[in-house]
Amino acid sequence: MTAFISAVPTTPHDGRLTGIAGHRKDMAVSGDLTDFSEFVEDSLPGLLRYGHALTGNPHDAADLVQSVLEKIGSRWSSVLRKAGDPLAYIRRSMTNAHISRWRRLRRESLVAEVPDSGAIVHADPFEHEPLWSALRELPPRQRAVIVLRYYENLSEAEIAASLGISQGTVKSQASKALNSLRSKLRHAEGSEGRDVL
């Protein structure tokens, strides 16, 4: 178990992934964990980019990647046997985990008083970028399809395999997402024009 923990990326207090925590070349690990460690080292930048585009900020992306890799690392040999493409399997797992989290957090909980917030939140440089804001407002599955298609440059077949949905669903989700993005960007452009006048 210690070898597995060393192969999972960790998040320091500032929210950035620092790489493979405690990864040492002299540590004896089984072949499967060595393969997993190498896979994580090779795939981590792309998974973090995908997670960032999916969640909307690097901190949640790092948490999402870490939680998914922790689960998959414990059954890596099984994933290699059953999944044709482990990277697609991990992307699908990230999408599903993000959708599940989004559904849990979407529920409102009413409180009598608003709690004090003492945490300092640093501004996201893309916070007021119209395209980024519009992308963040898309439902999770539509956002995943758009990110995989236009950010990761995957084909419709690869997206369908990655998310575990049909190609028709990929097309319909992409169409809905693009229509929504166009509408939101036109609205944002119109609002900016009125403000200037």
Side-chain angles (χ1 to χ4, degrees):
M1 187 65 178
T2 305
F4 168 69
I5 292 171
S6 69
V8 176
T10 60
T11 307
H13 294 294
D14 65 358
R16 292 177 292 132
L17 285 178
T18 57
I20 307 302
H23 180 69
R24 296 181 3 218
K25 298 290 182 192
D26 61 339
M27 184 169 37
V29 294
S30 70
D32 285 345
L33 290 178
T34 302
D35 292 344
F36 179 66
S37 177
E38 291 171 2
F39 175 82
V40 170
E41 284 186 45
D42 292 342
S43 305
L44 190 60
L47 291 174
L48 286 172
R49 283 192 310 269
Y50 177 62
H52 186 182
L54 196 61
T55 62
N57 72 63
H59 307 292
D60 289 341
D63 291 344
L64 178 65
V65 170
Q66 181 173 343
S67 67
V68 168
L69 289 178
E70 284 174 350
K71 291 175 184 172
I72 288 177
S74 63
R75 52 190 175 83
W76 181 243
S77 58
S78 172
V79 169
L80 287 177
R81 276 194 315 273
K82 293 179 182 175
D85 181 6
L87 187 58
Y89 182 85
I90 289 173
R91 282 191 189 122
R92 182 179 341 158
S93 297
M94 287 173 62
T95 302
N96 291 341
H98 178 64
I99 289 171
S100 295
R101 182 176 182 266
W102 178 76
R103 285 180 178 154
R104 275 193 319 270
L105 295 178
R106 188 175 63 166
R107 296 186 185 124
E108 291 183 26
S109 60
L110 301 176
V111 294
E113 295 181 32
V114 178
D116 291 337
S117 105
I120 297 173
V121 178
H122 297 286
D124 184 354
F126 297 109
E127 184 67 33
H128 301 293
E129 179 68 31
L131 179 59
W132 190 251
S133 298
L135 181 66
R136 203 173 19 228
E137 292 175 13
L138 290 175
R141 182 170 285 168
Q142 288 180 16
R143 187 183 320 163
V145 168
I146 293 297
V147 168
L148 290 174
R149 179 68 184 107
Y150 297 103
Y151 194 73
E152 294 290 331
N153 293 321
L154 297 183
S155 68
E156 288 174 351
E158 291 170 323
I159 295 169
S162 185
L163 297 179
I165 56 178
S166 70
Q167 286 188 31
T169 303
V170 170
K171 289 178 184 179
S172 70
Q173 293 292 302
S175 176
K176 289 176 186 177
L178 288 173
N179 286 337
S180 178
L181 288 172
R182 283 185 194 111
S183 172
K184 290 175 183 177
L185 290 175
R186 277 191 207 115
H187 179 71
E189 188 176 279
S191 297
E192 288 176 9
R194 283 191 295 272
D195 290 344
V196 171
L197 296 175

